Amino acid sequence: MSADSSGESIAADRASSPADTLTAAERGARALGGDPVRVAIVGATGYVGAELVRLLALHPYVRIAGLVGRERRGDPIAHIHPHLATKDLKVYDNVPDDAEAVFLALPHGVAAARAGEYLGNGQTVIDMGPDFRFRDAADYETWYHAEHPRPDLLPGAVYGLPELHRSALAELGTRPGAIIGSPGCYATTAILSLAPLAREGLIADVVVDAKSGVSGAGRDPKADLHFGEVNESVKAYGMFTHRHTGEIEQELLSQSPAADANPGAVGIDFLPHLVPMTRGILAACHVRPTRPVTQAELDAIYADAYGDEAFVTVVEHAPATKHVLGSNEFRVWCHVDDRTGRVLAIGVLDNMVKGAAGQAIQAFNVLHGLPETTALLQLPLAP
Amino acid sequence: MSADSSGESIAADRASSPADTLTAAERGARALGGDPVRVAIVGATGYVGAELVRLLALHPYVRIAGLVGRERRGDPIAHIHPHLATKDLKVYDNVPDDAEAVFLALPHGVAAARAGEYLGNGQTVIDMGPDFRFRDAADYETWYHAEHPRPDLLPGAVYGLPELHRSALAELGTRPGAIIGSPGCYATTAILSLAPLAREGLIADVVVDAKSGVSGAGRDPKADLHFGEVNESVKAYGMFTHRHTGEIEQELLSQSPAADANPGAVGIDFLPHLVPMTRGILAACHVRPTRPVTQAELDAIYADAYGDEAFVTVVEHAPATKHVLGSNEFRVWCHVDDRTGRVLAIGVLDNMVKGAAGQAIQAFNVLHGLPETTALLQLPLAP
Amino acid sequence: MSADSSGESIAADRASSPADTLTAAERGARALGGDPVRVAIVGATGYVGAELVRLLALHPYVRIAGLVGRERRGDPIAHIHPHLATKDLKVYDNVPDDAEAVFLALPHGVAAARAGEYLGNGQTVIDMGPDFRFRDAADYETWYHAEHPRPDLLPGAVYGLPELHRSALAELGTRPGAIIGSPGCYATTAILSLAPLAREGLIADVVVDAKSGVSGAGRDPKADLHFGEVNESVKAYGMFTHRHTGEIEQELLSQSPAADANPGAVGIDFLPHLVPMTRGILAACHVRPTRPVTQAELDAIYADAYGDEAFVTVVEHAPATKHVLGSNEFRVWCHVDDRTGRVLAIGVLDNMVKGAAGQAIQAFNVLHGLPETTALLQLPLAP
Amino acid sequence: MSADSSGESIAADRASSPADTLTAAERGARALGGDPVRVAIVGATGYVGAELVRLLALHPYVRIAGLVGRERRGDPIAHIHPHLATKDLKVYDNVPDDAEAVFLALPHGVAAARAGEYLGNGQTVIDMGPDFRFRDAADYETWYHAEHPRPDLLPGAVYGLPELHRSALAELGTRPGAIIGSPGCYATTAILSLAPLAREGLIADVVVDAKSGVSGAGRDPKADLHFGEVNESVKAYGMFTHRHTGEIEQELLSQSPAADANPGAVGIDFLPHLVPMTRGILAACHVRPTRPVTQAELDAIYADAYGDEAFVTVVEHAPATKHVLGSNEFRVWCHVDDRTGRVLAIGVLDNMVKGAAGQAIQAFNVLHGLPETTALLQLPLAP
C-alpha cells in the first residue's frame, strides 16, 4: 500500500518553517487558499490521540505536522495503533516548532502546566482535558482536588462547545493566544440534552443517569477494564464525585435565564455507568420541571434550539448509541410524562467523536473560520 | 452420556397418580420424607422455562413431571434448548394430571385464563407473568390495557417476594388453591433496593433508572433483539409506560408507614434500558429523601432489613451485575451524597434467576415449607 | 439539522432524464466533469443496502437517484436504518428510469431474473449476490441447488475483485450492458489471502477456517441471530456446504499456473464460524505447500502481489479484524512454520465494506474510470 | 447474609490436625464417611483459583482448608473476586499444614519447584499448569524453553484427563506422593475431539483451528486484554509456537495404535484465536484421514469411545460454546465430507470448567475414589 509521507520530513520542516504569529482566523483563511494549518497532537498514543489522527488525516485544510508521545522516538504510529498502519506517521517526543495548533490529550494538570510554552510559540492550544474547561479556578480545585497550575490563562480560554459558544470561539480565533477547553464526553451529552430546558428556566432537580462505553476510560490496561470484567456486566462508578459534574453545572447555570435565582440548576445528581461496549454515551436526564410543560412546548423549544445545527438532531424515537457510532452526531429526544409531569431528555453521542476528537475539530474549524463540518461528515457506522 | 428417564413415563404416571388434594405444606413435608413434589412447567420453550428446568433438575425435593410447550408433541427439550441436551426431558402439549405444582411462563392474560383449571385439579399455580401480581385488578388494567380475566382469583394470590411476604407465602401453603404471582425482574430489583427506605418513610420523588440484559425480552426473534442491533449499543425503551412501574409502586406503597399520607411513594419515574449483555439488571434508584439522613442511619436501616436474608447482601462497593451472574443473589449498595443530600440505592441481580426462575423456586420452597435455599446455592459465575 | 433533498425529486427526474445509452466509462468521464453518475440501490432495507448508502452518500461523482425496498412507498430511510436519519432519502418500490447504475442487494436467483430488464434500460448492474460470480452456470447450480435464471448473461459479467480483475473491469466499462458479480465476503477474504500462493503453484490441500461477525447473515430477525444466542458463544456452521466454497475454488484455480494439472486448488476445506461481533471476517488459511518455501520467498511473493494495491496491506504482525473496521482495507500475514513446513496465511477485512459495499464501489470506480479509491479512504474505526 | 466460617479457623486447625500420611484413596473413603478431604488452593487470586473455589465450596466431600495468594495476609476473597462475597474465606500466604490436597494455579516452573515440599508433607498435588503434563522433560523444555526443575517427579505424575487415564488416576490414588498434571484448556478440547480417531489410526495431517474466550489468558491486566481491544475483534495468536501443541501431540500419539509407525500424529498444525467472549473454547479439527471412512464408521467410533462418559456428549448438530457454559461438559461433533473425503471434528467446552477447574476436580474425585461427578453436575447456563 502506498503511503503519504507527511511524517517523514519533520526535521526539515522545523528548520524551514518557524511558527508564524498569525491568528487562527488568519491561518484558516490561508488554509482555504491551499496552505493547510500545521497541527501537532500531544498524547497521540492514547485513544483520543488516535481518534484525532483518524479524523485529521482526511481534513483538507490541515496537515499533521507532528505526533507526540512519551518515549516513542520515531516509532511508527502503527506500533501503537495498528488500525492506523496505512498512515506513514511517526511518534516523536516533542512538538515541532512549526506547528500552529496543538491538540493536547494529556492528564489534567499537565496540560495547563505546558500550555504557556505553546502559547509562547504562537501556537493555538486545544486541550482535550479539563484544565481549561472551568471559568473559575475554584471549581477546578473543587472537582480535581488540586490547585490549578495556570489560573491566569483561564480568561483567555473558551469552552469548546460550538452549539453554545460558537460566536465566542469565532471571536477567540481573531486574537493571539487562543485556548480551547474541549468539553468532557459526559458533559457534552448532558449539556446538549438539557441546555434548551435550562434556557427556559425549566430545570430544577435534575438526575443525569449516564451510560458509557469503555473507551472513555482510556487505553491504559487496568484491572477493571479487562475484557473478563467488563463483558456481560454493568456497573455504576464515580458515585457523587465524577468530575464532569462540575462542568455540567457550570454550563447549565450559564444558560439559565436567572442564574442566581435558580438554585435548581446547581446540584445535578450525576451518575455514570460502565456498560459492555467500546464507544457511545447515553444520558437519561430526569427533570422535574419548575412549571408544567406540554409536549408541544418541548418540541418547539428543541426545534428552536437545534434546528440549524449541523450535528444535532432532535429525534422522534428514543435514540440508541449505535445510531451515531463513529460520527460527530448528537441526537436528543425530549418528552413529558403526562402521568407524573416529569420531563425526560435522552441524548446520545460517540464519546470519541462528538464527545472528544470530533468536537475538538469542530471547534478548531470555528476558531479558524473554516466550514464547521469540515472532516466531520462521515455517516454513522451501523450495524 | 447416561441420562435420567423422568420424561419418558408421563403417560404411565398419569394413570397411576391422579393429583391428590394435599396442601403445598403437606406435599412439602412428604417430599422431605423422600417423595418429591411433582411439578410441570408450562412455557418450557422460552428462556424462563429453560431456566426453571436448569434449576429444578437438581432440586432434591422436586421431580419434573412434565414440560409443556406449543406444538411440541414429544420433542426433546434439547431441540429447543441445546444446553439442556443431557437431560432426557421432552416437551408435550399439556400438563400431566399428576402434577402438583404448575409453573406458568405464559403471556399475560393467558395465565389467568387457565389458572382456574389447574386450581380445580388441586394444582398449585406459580405464575411467572403479571396476572397475579396486582392486588387490585384496576391496577392491572391500568398498566396492561386489558380487562383482568379472573379478578376473583386475586385475593387468593400472594406476591412472591419472600423478603417482603415470607409469612404470607408460608401461610398460603397451608391452604388449598394457592397462587403465587412471581414478581417482575425490574420490579424485584427496584423493590428490594428501596423497601428499607420505604419502611422508614424516606421515599418521595424517586427516579429508578434501570439497565437490563437482553434475555428479559424473551427468546422470540425480533428485529430489535438481533445481535447486530443490540451489540455495541445502549438504548432506553418503554419510556413512561413500562408495566413493572405499577408493581414497584404497589409494593413500595405497601411498605410505607403511612401509605395514604405519602404521595411521594406513588409516581415512580421508572426508565429501563437495554444494554449489550445477556443477563443481569442494575437499578440505580435516585431518591430525594423526605428528611435528611446520615450514612450511619442508612447502614443501620439496610443491615436491619437484610441481615438475616440468605439471598440479599448489602455491599460496601458499588455492585456489578456480573457479581451475581447465574445465582439467586441480590446485592444492594445505598449511600447519601453529602453535597446534595440525595440518596442513591443501587441493586443488582440476574434477571433469569433472582429476577425470575430462582425467585419463583425460592417462593415455591417457602410455600411448601422446604428449606428456602434448596436448589439455589450455586455461586455466581465469573468472570 | 438541515438535509439534502436528493430523494425528493425522483418523479421530476424521471420525466426529464430518461436513461441514456452511454457506457460506464463515458458516464465516468462525464462525472469527473461535474455531472455525477445516477445510481439506484435495490434492497436498500438490508444491511448491505444501508452500507452502500453510507458510502455513496459522500461519493463526489455519484448521486443516489433512488432507493428501492419491498413495500416501502416513500418511507424515509431512517425508518429502517436510524443511523441514516440525517440523509433525506426515501425508499420506493422501483428503480427510477434515469438511474444509470443499479446496485442489487437481493436474494440469489432474484437478481439474475431482474437483471435483463435493467440492462435493457441501459443500466449497469452491480450485483452484490452470487448470481454473476460464477463463470460456469453449472458451478452455480452445484452450490445453490437451483437452475441459473439467465446463464446467457454470464459471459458479460466480471467477478468484481479489482485486485485480480482490474483490467477486465476497466475493459468492461467500455462496453454496454456491463454486469459486475461482486464477490462474497468470505470468498474475498480467502482469495486475497491465497491468490499470491496460487499464482506460484504452491497451493494444494488447503484448509480455510474463517470467523465472521453477525452482519454477514443479514438483517432479518432469526432465532440464531438473537443476541441471547450469539453473545458469549462461538459456533461453526455450513459445514462442507457453504456456498462461498465454489467461488474460492473458481478464483484460486484461475490464478494457478497450470490449472488443469493442479487438482490441489480444487477441494478447499472451507469452514465458517459465527463469532460474537457485528462486523469483520478473519480467515486462517492452512496450506501444506506443494514444495518447501522459505519466509523470504513468501515475503517477496506477497510484496510483489500487493505492493501497489491501495487497499491491501501485508502486515508483519498477525492482524485483528478490528484493525480494519469500517474501512475498505484488507490485511494479510503469511508465514511458514519451520517445524512442520506448513504455510499459514491470515487475512482480515470488514465484511460490510471490503467484503461487500466498499468492494462494489471500488469495482464501480474502476468500471467507470474513476479514481479507484474515491469514497473509500475512511480510516478504520478503533477502538 | 449469613456465611460459613470455614476460613476463620485455619490457625486452630493447623495445630490440631497435622497432615496425616494416608493415600488419596484412604482419604476419599474417610470423606464418604463424613470427614471431608481438606484442600488448599495456591494461586487463589487468579481466575482458575476462583473457579476452584466456586466449585469446591459446594463439594460435599471437601473442605476448603486454605486459600493462598501473594501478599494477601488475611484479605477476604471478595476483595479480589467480588462474586465470591458470600463465602467467608480469606487469602493467606501459605498452605496450612493440615491440607491433604493442594491445587496449584501457579506460573510454569514455580509449581514444579514447590511440589516437592507439599509431597514431603504428605499432600497430594494437583497442578493446573504444565509442569507435570509431559512424560518426557525434553518435551517440556522444547515448548517452554526452560529446564524442568524436577524431572525426577515426572514418573509419579499422571495426565489428569479421566476420559483417557481413568484407571491410572485411580491407581495413583492408592500410592503416596500422587501428582496430577491437569491438562491445558486447548489441549483438552483437541485431545477429546480427536482421541477416537487417533485410536483407529485415522489421524495424519491434522489442522486444529481453535477459538477461545479471554478468561484463558488470565486475570492480569494487559494491553491486549483491554475490553477496547478485544471487543468486536478476532485475532490469531501464538502462531506455530503455542505450548499446548506439545501436549496434544503427546496424548494423541499415545492413543495411536502404532505410534512409532504413524508420523502423521506428530506435527499438529495448531492455531489458537482470541474471540470477544469471556469463556469457552471451540476447536475445529480438520483431518485428512489415513484411509477413507464413512459416517457410519465415525458414529460408531465416537459412540464407542464416549457412550459411557458422564461429561462427554456426541452431538448431532454442530455445538456452540454457549451450550456448555459454566458446566463440566464436553461436546463433540464429527463428520466426513463426502465431497473431499476429509473429516471434521468440532469440540467445545468451558475453558474454566472442563478446561481447568472442573476437570481437576473430576480427576481429584477419581484419585480419591469419590463419585466422579461429585460437585460437577451443574447444568450449562444459557442464554
Side-chain angles (χ1 to χ4, degrees), chain D residues 44-45 53 67 75-82 84-85 87 89-91:
Chain D
T45 59
V53 173
L67 302 181
D75 280 10
I77 186 72
H79 283 199
I80 304 122
H81 302 298
L84 299 176
K87 290 285 134 183
L89 292 168
K90 298 196 173 73
V91 182

Side-chain angles (χ1 to χ4, degrees), chain A residues 1 47 54 58 82-83 85-86 231-232 278-279 307 309-310 312-313 322-323 329 331 377-383, chain C residues 1 47 54 58 82-83 85-86 231-232 278-279 307 309-310 312-313 323 329 331 377-383:
Chain A
M1 187 167 208
Y47 281 155
R54 181 177 79 89
L58 301 182
H83 69 289
T86 63
N231 192 41
E232 280 292 289
T278 305
R279 288 173 178 240
E309 290 296 337
V312 180
T313 308
K322 193 173 231 177
H323 298 170
E329 293 189 33
R331 298 195 184 175
L377 290 175
Q378 297 188 16
L379 292 175
L381 190 72
Chain C
M1 186 168 210
Y47 281 156
R54 181 177 78 90
L58 301 183
H83 68 290
T86 63
N231 192 40
E232 280 290 290
T278 304
R279 289 174 178 238
E309 289 295 337
V312 180
T313 307
H323 297 170
E329 293 188 33
R331 298 195 185 175
L377 290 175
Q378 296 189 16
L379 292 175
L381 190 73

Side-chain angles (χ1 to χ4, degrees), chain A residues 205-207 245 249 263-270, chain B residues 288 339-340 342:
Chain A
D205 195 17
V206 180
V207 171
T245 311
E249 293 181 353
V266 180
I268 295 279
D269 175 359
F270 174 62
Chain B
R288 183 175 281 289
R339 189 177 77 104
T340 63
R342 284 194 181 89

Side-chain angles (χ1 to χ4, degrees), chain C residues 300-311:
Chain C
I301 289 169
Y302 279 81
D304 199 47
Y306 294 133
D308 295 331
E309 289 295 337
F311 295 117

Side-chain angles (χ1 to χ4, degrees), chain D residues 188-212:
Chain D
T188 300
T189 322
I191 295 165
L192 289 179
S193 295
L194 291 168
L197 299 177
R199 279 181 211 139
E200 300 294 318
L202 283 164
I203 286 186
D205 195 18
V206 179
V207 171
V208 176
D209 192 289
K211 300 89 193 168
S212 176

Side-chain angles (χ1 to χ4, degrees), chain A residues 239-262:
Chain A
M239 291 82 71
F240 312 144
T241 62
H242 197 283
R243 292 154 162 180
H244 289 188
T245 311
E247 279 177 64
I248 300 170
E249 293 181 353
Q250 167 185 284
E251 293 298 310
L252 291 181
L253 201 56
S254 81
Q255 299 294 310
S256 297
D260 49 35
N262 187 5

Side-chain angles (χ1 to χ4, degrees), chain B residues 210-359:
Chain B
K211 300 89 193 169
S212 176
V214 171
S215 57
R219 189 170 152 266
D220 285 345
K222 293 176 188 164
D224 61 353
L225 303 180
H226 189 296
F227 185 87
E229 306 302 313
V230 174
N231 193 40
E232 281 290 292
S233 198
V234 172
K235 69 170 182 181
Y237 67 101
M239 290 81 71
F240 311 144
T241 62
H242 195 283
R243 292 154 163 181
H244 289 188
T245 312
E247 279 176 66
I248 301 170
E249 294 181 352
Q250 167 185 284
E251 293 298 311
L252 292 180
L253 201 56
S254 81
Q255 299 294 309
S256 297
D260 49 36
N262 186 4
V266 181
I268 295 280
D269 175 359
F270 174 61
L271 181 67
H273 296 76
L274 193 66
V275 298
M277 62 184 192
T278 305
R279 288 174 178 238
I281 289 178
L282 182 148
C285 306
H286 304 259
V287 177
R288 183 175 281 289
T290 52
R291 59 172 174 80
V293 290
T294 65
Q295 189 58 42
E297 277 182 276
L298 292 176
D299 290 346
I301 290 168
Y302 278 81
D304 200 46
Y306 294 133
D308 295 331
E309 289 294 339
F311 295 117
V312 180
T313 307
V314 184
V315 291
E316 287 174 49
H317 300 284
T321 59
K322 192 172 235 180
H323 298 170
V324 297
L325 179 69
S327 82
N328 199 51
E329 292 188 33
F330 175 79
R331 297 195 186 177
V332 63
W333 175 98
C334 184
H335 279 246
V336 61
D337 180 356
D338 291 333
R339 189 177 77 104
T340 63
R342 284 194 181 89
V343 169
L344 177 62
I346 301 175
V348 297
L349 52 67
D350 181 324
N351 58 301
M352 300 301 293
V353 193
K354 184 59 180 168
Q359 170 121 292

